[in-house]
Amino acid sequence: MTGTGETLLSVRGVETYYGKIVALRGVDVDVHRGEIVTMIGANGAGKSTLMMTICGNPQARTGQIVYDGQDITAMPTHEIMHLGIAQSPEGRRIFPRMTVMENLQMGAALVDPKHFENDLKKVFELFPRLKERIGQRGGTLSGGEQQMLAIGRALMSRPKLLLLDEPSLGLAPLIVKQIFDAIRELNKNEGLTVFLVEQNAFHALRLAHRGYVMVNGNITMSGTGAELLKREEVRAAYLEGGRH
Amino acid sequence: MEYFVQQLINGLTLGSIYGLIAIGYTMVYGIIGMINFAHGDIFMIGAFISLAVFLILTSVLGFAFLPVVLLIVLIVSMLFTSAWGWTVERLAYRPLRGSFRLAPLITAIGMSIVLQNFVQITQGARVKPLPPQIQGGVTLMQGSTEQGTILVQLSYMQMIIILTTLILMTGFTLLITRTSLGRAQRACEQDRKMAALLGVNVDRTISLTFVMGAALAAVAGLMFLLLYGVIDFYIGFLAGVKAFTAAVLGGIGSLPGAMLGGLLIGLIEVFWSGYFTVEYKDVAAFSILAIVLIFLPSGLLGQPEVEKV
Ligand SMILES: Nc1ncnc2c1ncn2[C@@H]1O[C@H](COP(=O)(O)OP(=O)(O)OP(=O)(O)O)[C@@H](O)[C@H]1O
Ligand SMILES: [Mg+2]
């Protein structure tokens, strides 16, 4: 399934600063409803900054971010999240002193409680490992388990747009495959729109309908996943000798 | 033996009051990592407002039925301290969030001084008395020594204080561990940025934490007033320091720790006065704090940071 063509998220000319340091230098990105879009780029390119700027922390200094027809550029983070955006952020950010269950409950904080049981079941079907660890404290989970929990927690909020920041980081190939399969399934079966940041360019571009390449705070290339996979510059910079 | 039991009861009563104040320190520390030095004075205005409302109700308006009077006193006093707790956070802490760590500490001390001076000027520096309101009690034990018979008394006042504390603590623990509000508070404690990413209004959650701590301090203030019958503008400082000690002793950031610490400080103070000498009771409490912290740096129930994040 590909996108319906209707724009769900539009990022226009966004510049983001950390104090005086510029991290995004006029970024344009579009994510259509029902699409999987990926953003690849080297360390420090500004990928995570873009993810967080979409969520309003830090806020864009110039430019505009429109989600679902609404200008969210200057909205506080918690209000943006009420609109149906969820993020599994860089570094996973599991609540260390809460159990797996409580972390998932936090994910569902904005959702009508009547959905909870059912959503929980779905997350456990996706990641059976989490079910075995339900009472364990988040801080004591393994890295892979934490990643699953971070994605599961994001899903518990029933997002329309799921932002994933390097879900494959530090995971065994088998788990990476499992997580990418899960993303594909969710997109196909539920029409979930996904915006994915990855260093694992090979997998990400194969999974995504479209992709962007970010270099030093600028978008330098974009196209369908297949197109980008063929491009010489992409192969040289992100694939050959890369992590696939 | 009888003497011991009597001291135990007295210590638990005093410790309950310290514990209720300590919760405010520990919760605020948990959520913003900072000691709210204005908290002791919130307890103090809690006591003053209780006294004022009590006198207005009984002398001016002529209410006589004590339970209703006390209930109204408590509610009004909680409303006032909550509003003050909210204001302190808003004025002294929120604008400085993100600046260097000592800045809010200084504004906190400033807020504390403002409040003390305000009360001192408007109410005078002399102690304010309130005649005993709840008298009587039950005799639990009776024993005889060479000096004569000695009775172990549990006064109704002590009963009320210990019971109220027990109920509040239970309710509070449930609130923090079981409700979504409590979960949001703990989420803000552990990772504010992530909490916001899950739709939690972090600013409001922090405000609420101040309000809750202040409301409990008002309860403690009323209890103190009824138990001792005299208050002055300085009680907030002493009780505040002890409650703060209690919070550290129990493990700052831990709710059961604050309660346990409060009870221990109360017991130490009472037993030391009872068996040794009144003069050094505060020294005893602080010495024990120092010793505990040498062996358990994060307090009795505090959590050492062992998790990977
Ligand atoms: N809080 C911050 N304060 C100052 N500079 C920051 C901050 N966060 C990120 N930066 C800088 O902004 C730039 C972009 O960082 P960002 O985390 O967005 O990169 P990234 O593309 O996600 O990299 P990676 O692949 O390593 O995760 C980097 O140069 C980084 O040093
Ligand atoms: Mg990153």
Side-chain angles (χ1 to χ4, degrees):
Chain A
M1 170 173 160
T2 51
T4 56
E6 188 192 343
T7 306
L8 182 61
L9 177 76
S10 132
V11 177
R12 284 284 162 274
V14 161
E15 290 179 13
T16 302
Y17 287 76
Y18 292 106
K20 287 197 182 78
I21 306 162
V22 58
L24 299 181
R25 308 163 189 265
V27 169
D28 295 315
V29 165
D30 279 302
V31 179
H32 305 302
R33 241 178 248 281
E35 262 188 329
I36 301 178
V37 174
T38 189
M39 167 80 63
I40 58 175
N43 290 120
K47 307 179 297 296
S48 301
T49 303
L50 176 60
M51 290 299 216
M52 288 308 293
T53 304
I54 293 170
C55 297
N57 181 18
Q59 286 186 341
R61 188 174 292 181
T62 53
Q64 198 186 32
I65 304 174
V66 175
Y67 166 77
D68 211 0
Q70 199 170 347
D71 187 342
I72 59 169
T73 323
M75 252 190 209
T77 303
H78 64 95
E79 282 179 26
I80 294 174
M81 307 330 274
H82 276 79
L83 303 174
I85 301 181
Q87 182 174 173
S88 165
E90 175 163 57
R92 307 182 278 256
R93 291 185 171 259
I94 296 304
F95 297 114
R97 294 187 295 283
M98 285 194 195
T99 63
V100 167
M101 181 64 160
E102 285 176 319
N103 270 280
L104 292 170
Q105 284 174 321
M106 277 311 297
L110 305 176
V111 177
D112 187 335
K114 74 170 189 246
H115 297 300
F116 185 78
E117 288 302 320
N118 202 27
D119 292 352
L120 193 64
K121 227 175 73 196
K122 282 200 218 161
V123 168
F124 286 158
E125 275 164 22
L126 218 51
F127 303 119
R129 187 103 192 126
L130 290 182
K131 192 171 184 179
E132 297 163 25
R133 305 270 147 188
I134 185 124
Q136 190 173 328
R137 276 147 61 107
T140 62
L141 294 177
S142 79
E145 289 163 346
Q146 288 195 352
Q147 190 65 67
M148 295 178 205
L149 181 55
I151 299 173
R153 181 178 61 184
L155 288 173
M156 288 303 287
S157 73
R158 315 192 123 223
K160 283 187 271 181
L161 172 63
L162 177 62
L163 307 177
L164 296 173
D165 196 338
E166 300 209 40
S168 72
L169 189 72
L171 300 187
L174 196 68
I175 314 241
V176 173
K177 185 175 177 314
Q178 197 186 326
I179 285 179
F180 276 46
D181 285 346
I183 297 169
R184 190 177 288 121
E185 294 277 289
L186 285 165
N187 173 259
K188 205 155 75 189
N189 301 339
E190 325 233 328
L192 179 65
T193 309
V194 180
F195 185 33
L196 171 77
V197 160
E198 261 301 334
Q199 296 232 5
N200 197 331
F202 180 68
H203 276 114
L205 289 172
R206 285 215 318 185
L207 171 72
H209 301 114
R210 288 190 307 114
Y212 292 88
V213 178
M214 184 181 272
V215 177
N216 204 2
N218 287 300
I219 304 287
T220 55
M221 269 181 267
S222 64
T224 65
E227 273 165 26
L228 288 177
L229 270 175
K230 277 189 233 126
R231 297 276 286 265
E232 202 47 52
E233 311 94 294
V234 175
R235 300 195 71 90
Y238 305 107
L239 295 175
E240 260 110 57
R243 299 193 307 181
H244 70 290
Chain B
M1 177 63 195
E2 286 78 14
Y3 188 66
F4 177 85
V5 176
Q6 184 64 64
Q7 298 303 331
L8 193 66
I9 294 171
N10 297 348
L12 289 177
T13 313
L14 182 61
S16 296
I17 295 179
Y18 290 154
L20 286 177
I21 308 173
I23 290 173
Y25 281 107
T26 228
M27 284 188 34
V28 164
Y29 180 85
I31 204 158
I32 58 173
M34 203 204 82
I35 301 301
N36 175 13
F37 272 100
H39 187 62
D41 301 292
I42 291 183
F43 157 79
M44 182 266 294
I45 46 167
F48 268 91
I49 290 165
S50 296
L51 178 60
V53 177
F54 187 90
L55 294 178
I56 292 170
L57 285 175
T58 50
S59 320
V60 181
L61 301 176
F63 279 85
F65 187 53
L66 195 61
V68 174
V69 170
L70 288 181
L71 192 67
I72 299 175
V73 165
L74 186 62
I75 291 171
V76 174
S77 160
M78 282 167 92
L79 285 177
F80 264 92
T81 57
S82 298
W84 179 251
W86 186 87
T87 312
V88 167
E89 195 271 331
R90 217 41 205 258
L91 290 183
Y93 299 139
R94 191 177 299 182
L96 293 173
R97 216 176 281 158
S99 68
F100 81 114
R101 276 178 77 87
L102 286 180
L105 205 68
I106 295 162
T107 50
I109 294 170
M111 291 303 265
S112 163
I113 293 171
V114 166
L115 204 57
Q116 275 186 32
N117 287 358
F118 173 77
V119 172
Q120 188 182 0
I121 290 162
T122 55
Q123 301 296 311
R126 310 236 323 255
V127 297
K128 298 262 169 199
L130 177 73
Q133 299 298 321
I134 301 170
Q135 283 168 320
V138 289
T139 304
L140 296 181
M141 291 162 89
Q142 198 166 0
S144 49
T145 61
E146 303 90 76
Q147 283 94 16
T149 52
I150 116 168
L151 301 177
V152 177
Q153 294 263 7
L154 176 61
S155 72
Y156 293 129
M157 194 57 234
Q158 290 176 318
M159 238 185 266
I160 291 172
I161 288 177
I162 293 173
L163 267 182
T164 311
T165 305
L166 212 62
I167 293 167
L168 282 174
M169 271 314 290
T170 313
F172 226 67
T173 308
L174 289 178
L175 178 80
I176 298 295
T177 54
R178 299 285 157 79
T179 68
S180 56
L181 172 63
R183 227 169 12 241
Q185 278 178 312
R186 285 181 291 139
C188 290
E189 265 179 54
Q190 296 174 30
D191 188 343
R192 243 188 264 170
K193 197 166 167 186
M194 189 65 225
L197 279 181
L198 294 169
V200 174
N201 185 338
V202 174
D203 281 340
R204 204 187 57 191
T205 309
I206 292 175
S207 287
L208 268 174
T209 306
F210 274 82
V211 165
M212 286 174 171
L216 288 183
V219 181
L222 174 60
M223 286 174 172
F224 186 94
L225 173 69
L226 292 173
L227 186 65
Y228 291 105
V230 285
I231 54 174
D232 61 37
F233 73 97
Y234 206 58
I235 58 168
F237 177 75
L238 275 185
V241 168
K242 283 179 197 157
F244 167 58
T245 309
V248 176
L249 180 63
I252 189 106
S254 156
L255 209 59
M259 208 56 231
L260 179 68
L263 291 178
L264 284 176
I265 296 286
L267 287 170
I268 292 166
E269 194 175 317
V270 166
F271 273 100
W272 191 276
S273 319
Y275 284 95
F276 301 105
T277 138
V278 169
E279 281 85 40
Y280 291 109
K281 67 180 185 355
D282 296 341
V283 176
F286 291 119
S287 309
I288 288 181
L289 172 75
I291 292 165
V292 168
L293 289 184
I294 289 169
F295 293 104
L296 291 168
S298 46
L300 294 171
L301 303 181
Q303 294 160 338
E305 293 293 328
V306 288
E307 292 106 345
K308 58 174 163 227
V309 185

